[in-house]
Amino acid sequence: MLSSLISNGQPQTSASLEVTVPWWSFTKTVLAATSLSLVRDGLIRLDDPLLDQPYTLRQLLRHEAGLADYSELAEYHAAVRNNEPAWSANEMMQRLDGARLRYSPGSGWRYSNVGYWLIGRLIERLTNLTLDEAVFQRVLSPLGLSNVRFAKTRADLQAPPRTSPSNYDPGWVYHGLLVGRVSQAALCLERLLRTDLLSKALRQEMQSARALGGPIPGRPWITPGYGLGVMQGSIDGGYSLCGHTGCGPGSVIAVYCVRDGDASACCAVFEADAHEGAVEATVVTQLMHALRQGF
């Protein structure tokens, strides 16, 4: 297990021995921040329908656009298990019938990696940059994160500790898969929520979540919800977590922040061969310890 804790902006753990790990779906938080920087700059508005589509950027970011998810496809899971090369995005969409909406935008909720793939394409179109360039210029560099990149080849996921039990093709993550140190993931979220990269109003929009029901068995959530690229909800003690959990073949990463008045703490934990609930529980334990220590 690798972990990193930040209290009131100050790292509490050493990053000297860390290695690069996949951020899995924590990548969605970074993509959300990048798209919100476009809102900040007046290139798009959260609640205007996107070009030729019935849904808005807000609905894409909150998984409310009515889109399906390729993880529903049995052949997708079989191909990943067999270490096959990723399908092209066009083939994935054809197999999924991904352009067909499963419900009216805004009327339901369904986790959709396809939605975040479309967000990536939107970022490229509005910035006239590659996704890599836009994410680095608009989020990673301003937040002081220089050693984070998108995984492009299977070799990018083979650094120790072994982050995948197989020869996994990162192309299966259609919205892109960021890799970096665990400490950089914690810093990314902490600085995103604390600094002025986004206005206070946009940070509040980001953390405005759609409620998703009651407690989740085996996970620490009491009232889970989903905001704009972040999981947001309460845990025992009345505290609210904000961040994201990411799962992929052979590993899990969970990155969350908690506030108590003017004090804040952020924690990232990466573990191989673990369940997402167990990794989230480790994050909560470390955050609660920071609270008891008064940050």
Side-chain angles (χ1 to χ4, degrees):
M1 183 183 73
L2 297 171
S3 67
S4 179
L5 179 67
I6 301 171
S7 296
N8 291 328
Q10 300 300 314
Q12 304 298 305
T13 50
S14 173
S16 60
L17 298 179
E18 281 192 49
V19 297
T20 296
V21 302
W23 286 8
W24 299 123
S25 278
F26 181 59
T27 302
K28 291 184 174 67
T29 302
V30 181
L31 293 178
T34 307
S35 66
L36 289 174
S37 78
L38 305 180
V39 177
R40 175 199 66 197
D41 294 344
L43 298 176
I44 192 172
R45 294 196 289 189
L46 273 171
D47 295 311
D48 286 349
L50 300 182
L51 182 65
D52 299 327
Q53 297 296 339
Y55 44 75
T56 66
L57 176 58
R58 185 191 301 274
Q59 290 166 342
L60 280 178
L61 290 169
R62 287 214 305 195
H63 300 293
E64 297 174 324
L67 296 164
D69 184 39
Y70 51 81
S71 66
E72 302 163 14
L73 298 173
E75 58 264 41
Y76 159 79
H77 293 284
V80 170
R81 284 195 304 271
N82 293 332
N83 299 322
E84 294 178 18
W87 308 322
S88 69
N90 286 339
E91 181 178 356
M92 176 272 291
M93 289 292 281
Q94 289 173 358
R95 288 173 179 260
L96 182 63
D97 189 14
R100 178 175 62 85
L101 298 184
R102 271 51 173 186
Y103 57 87
S104 177
S107 68
W109 190 90
R110 188 174 189 169
Y111 192 87
S112 175
N113 285 293
V114 170
Y116 273 78
W117 170 66
L118 292 174
I119 288 168
R121 305 292 74 74
L122 177 68
I123 291 169
E124 291 181 323
R125 178 169 61 84
L126 293 180
T127 63
N128 199 29
L129 297 169
T130 67
L131 186 61
D132 307 52
E133 292 168 336
V135 167
F136 183 78
Q137 291 182 19
R138 289 182 162 268
V139 175
L140 298 179
S141 180
L143 294 182
L145 306 173
S146 59
N147 296 312
V148 181
R149 67 185 191 279
F150 280 97
K152 299 295 185 180
T153 69
R154 299 170 191 258
D156 291 332
L157 302 178
Q158 296 305 310
R162 190 72 177 272
T163 57
S164 173
S166 61
N167 194 20
Y168 180 75
D169 181 357
W172 287 114
V173 185
Y174 288 91
H175 59 61
L177 172 58
L178 286 172
V179 293
R181 293 180 175 182
V182 174
S183 59
Q184 296 280 283
L187 279 171
C188 181
L189 183 62
E190 193 272 341
R191 292 173 179 173
L192 174 61
L193 297 179
R194 179 178 59 84
T195 68
D196 293 330
L197 176 74
L198 301 175
S199 68
K200 181 179 179 180
L202 279 176
R203 295 197 304 271
Q204 290 174 338
E205 293 276 18
M206 192 175 199
Q207 296 173 74
S208 177
R210 181 189 183 105
L212 300 178
I216 302 176
R219 299 178 71 177
W221 302 97
I222 302 300
T223 55
Y226 203 95
L228 307 185
V230 291
M231 298 166 66
Q232 175 88 27
S234 65
I235 57 173
D236 281 336
Y239 296 105
S240 180
L241 290 184
C242 178
H244 216 294
T245 302
C247 306
S251 61
V252 174
I253 188 169
V255 190
Y256 289 94
C257 286
V258 65
R259 295 193 65 86
D260 186 15
D262 293 332
S264 66
C266 290
C267 182
V269 172
F270 174 90
E271 190 165 0
D273 301 321
H275 183 270
E276 58 188 351
V279 179
E280 290 171 346
T282 300
V283 168
V284 170
T285 297
Q286 294 198 28
L287 290 174
M288 293 305 98
H289 179 73
L291 286 174
R292 289 192 295 271
Q293 297 299 312
F295 295 101

